[in-house]
Structure formats: structure tokens, C-alpha cells
Amino acid sequence: MKRSYIAALALTFVMISCKDQEVFEKEMYKNVAALISSNDHNTFQELISLSGEEVTGYIAASIGGTHTSQHDIVIRLEEDDEPLARYNRSLFDEEVSLYAHSLPSDRYEIDDYNITIKSGERTGRTQIRLRADGLSPDSSYFIGLKVSEVEGGELNPNKGTILYQVLLSNPYASQNSDDYYAMTGTVDEMVTAANKKMFPLTSNSVRVIAGNETFESNLADINRTAMVLEINEDNRVSIKPYNDIVITQLDDDPRYPNSFKQETIYGRTFNVFSLSYAYTIDGVTKLMKEELRMQAPNNNKKD
């Protein structure tokens, strides 16, 4: 009787083990689809080099599982404002002035809202055509998307949305980094130094605060204190007002000849601006001579 009881227990254990193994294998073999993004609010960042031309980016998806699918998996997308709303509420709460923006609809086109992962493959993608020139470097722009249906597989519920972020760059500045130019020089013939952040405007122009003025991240102060540096084909720099500031470019100083160059020292390449100008803010005029220097990102070196 005791042996029969032990045998029954053993048989039950084997049956349970087989069932657990079956469930385990079923889960392992499942093809679960996910949009490819970071774990930070499901964002995906596309760094756009400003060129005046349309640029192509991609939205991608992948499938998990022990083996690839034996048939095509189609992931259907639709645009959705809710992911961006959650992002803004989570990061900025009621500080509406800090909210990121939806990329205007005239700035992009998605020709096909279906991502197809072909039989035997792990990933698929659909392209997005972007027109980023003219966007404000002071704003963050996103396209919110969600998966509406997965044909031929299942969806990872944590990866069913994506915030596709467009970041601006040119050879001199990028929204993708917090790098600052080191400024050295003189203001009204008195030695000065500071760190300055540049913002990309077009393929060959940037915005930066004039002289030794303090940067304030609001439109009124930016309009009051910012200037534009336009880099010409011969690397001469034209200095222009961004908005309210009065700028007079001075081209008679050989040490600060209003030029741009790249300088390589011990294998490190630097962007270097040498500038000379007078500027007037609130009726006060200052004479500025400055060098701006920053190590050039590898992907932004100027040919």
C-alpha cells in the first residue's frame, strides 16, 4: 500500500513537471512583439543633421521567442497623444511652460503605418520623412504612436507605445548633448571667461548669448541677449542679432578675425570661434573680443 502511494505521488509529480515544462516551452517559443525604444517613457531619439533637405528616419519593432516566426508578423501603428501627455505630466506636472510639443504634422510623413517583421527575421521597420529645418532649438518635439494590432503574434504590453523624439544638430552644436564652449577673452578690455551653450539653427548657423551676459531660459531674455553666428563656406563668421540685440561686427582685429576653424591637439579635435564685436543691450554698449572652444563630437566634425 505504501509503495502504491509513493508511486502515485511520483506519477503526479511527473505529470505536474511535464505540464510546467510544456507551459515554460510555450512561453519561451511565443513571438512577442515590441516597439524598439528606451525604458525612459518608451522614447526613441532621432538625431537630425540640419541640411535644408528632407531626412529619413525609422520606427522599428522586434519580436522575442526562442525561434523566429514561421510567418510574417504585422504591427499596426496609429498616432496617439496620450504617451506625450503622460510624459509631460510625469516630468513637469503643472509647469506647462516646460512641456514638450507634438511635432507639427507638416514636418513629417509616415507613408506606411504597418511594420512588417518578415518570416525568419527578428526586426522590422517603417520609415518616417522629416523636415526639421526651422524648428525651435528651445523646444522638445515628439511624435506619439501606439500599436493598435499585432497580426500573427502577441504584444509586449510594456512596449506598445513610442515617443519618437526629433533632436537637431549641425557641425557646431547639438540638442543631443550638454556640451558648452569655453569662452576666454575681454569685455571692454577687461579679462573675462565663461561657459556658453550653442543652439543649432540651420546647417551653418547657431545661436549663442552675446558677451558675458547671463543665459536665462525664457524667450524674452533670449530675444534680448542672443546673437547668431553664421559660418560661411570660407569659414568666415558673420555675427547677426537674433532679435532685439544691436550688434556691430568688428573685422579689424587679427587675433579675433571673426572666423571658425577646427584645431587638432594630441589627437583631439576642437571647434574654435574667434570673434570681435560690439553689442548694445538696454542702451549699454560693450566691446567684446572672445574665443569659443569646445571639443568637436566625432559625428559632427566639419569637413
Side-chain angles (χ1 to χ4, degrees):
M1 183 71 176
K2 185 176 181 180
R3 290 180 181 176
S4 298
Y5 179 71
I6 293 173
L9 283 175
L11 180 60
T12 301
F13 178 76
V14 169
M15 291 176 65
I16 292 172
S17 297
C18 289
K19 186 174 181 180
D20 287 346
Q21 182 66 22
E22 182 182 345
V23 171
F24 174 73
E25 290 182 354
K26 184 179 179 182
E27 290 296 319
M28 287 291 289
Y29 278 86
K30 280 199 314 187
N31 293 126
V32 179
L35 296 178
I36 296 176
S37 63
S38 73
N39 291 325
D40 182 15
H41 299 278
N42 287 351
T43 56
F44 179 86
Q45 296 181 329
E46 191 81 73
L47 186 61
I48 301 297
S49 182
L50 296 170
S51 64
E53 304 292 334
E54 188 174 83
V55 176
T56 299
Y58 296 93
I59 300 164
S62 65
I63 56 167
T66 306
H67 299 295
T68 57
S69 175
Q70 300 305 303
H71 54 267
D72 291 357
I73 292 178
V74 180
I75 300 163
R76 307 192 192 284
L77 301 174
E78 63 181 38
E79 296 190 29
D80 186 16
D81 294 333
E82 183 55 29
L84 181 56
R86 287 197 302 267
Y87 174 91
N88 282 327
R89 288 195 301 268
S90 175
L91 268 62
F92 308 117
D93 195 20
E94 296 181 359
E95 294 290 333
V96 178
S97 63
L98 301 178
Y99 276 20
H101 302 285
S102 293
L103 185 66
S105 58
D106 63 343
R107 295 291 185 162
Y108 69 95
E109 290 177 28
I110 303 174
D111 294 327
D112 187 356
Y113 281 79
N114 294 333
I115 299 175
T116 300
I117 301 176
K118 296 288 188 181
S119 170
E121 297 183 2
R122 287 286 185 186
T123 61
R125 65 183 186 177
T126 189
Q127 75 174 29
I128 177 169
R129 292 184 284 131
L130 300 157
R131 295 175 288 276
D133 285 76
L135 292 175
S136 170
D138 302 304
S139 298
S140 297
Y141 295 98
F142 291 90
I143 302 170
L145 296 160
K146 72 176 181 180
V147 175
S148 60
E149 181 185 0
V150 178
E151 183 181 300
E154 296 184 25
L155 175 66
N156 179 341
N158 296 319
K159 285 293 182 177
T161 64
I162 189 170
L163 279 173
Y164 184 93
Q165 184 177 15
V166 174
L167 297 173
L168 311 178
S169 73
N170 63 20
Y172 320 98
S174 173
Q175 282 187 309
N176 194 40
S177 68
D178 287 324
D179 294 333
Y180 286 78
Y181 280 77
M183 181 269 280
T184 56
T186 62
V187 56
D188 291 336
E189 300 185 347
M190 305 255 323
V191 174
T192 187
N195 291 318
K196 291 189 179 185
K197 185 168 178 61
M198 284 190 186
F199 296 83
L201 294 178
T202 68
S203 62
N204 70 324
S205 67
V206 294
R207 191 193 73 209
V208 66
I209 295 302
N212 61 351
E213 304 300 317
T214 302
F215 174 74
E216 297 289 345
S217 184
N218 64 75
L219 187 59
D221 277 292
I222 291 169
N223 287 339
R224 192 174 65 88
T225 61
M227 62 183 184
V228 174
L229 306 180
E230 186 176 285
I231 301 89
N232 303 309
E233 288 186 5
D234 61 358
N235 285 331
R236 296 283 297 171
V237 175
S238 297
I239 307 174
K240 303 176 180 180
Y242 180 69
N243 205 314
D244 301 332
I245 194 172
V246 176
I247 290 277
T248 302
Q249 180 168 326
L250 306 174
D251 291 317
D252 57 354
D253 191 328
R255 185 175 176 184
Y256 299 97
N258 292 317
S259 66
F260 169 83
K261 66 180 178 180
Q262 286 198 321
E263 209 171 73
T264 300
I265 303 174
Y266 298 116
R268 299 168 65 196
T269 301
F270 294 86
N271 286 350
V272 182
F273 290 86
S274 298
L275 308 174
S276 178
Y277 56 96
Y279 69 96
T280 303
I281 296 176
D282 298 333
V284 177
T285 299
K286 296 181 181 180
L287 175 63
M288 193 70 197
K289 311 279 187 178
E290 66 179 304
E291 178 189 271
L292 300 173
R293 177 182 292 265
M294 183 187 78
Q295 185 169 353
N298 290 331
N299 63 335
N300 268 344
K301 287 184 180 179
K302 187 177 186 292
D303 295 330

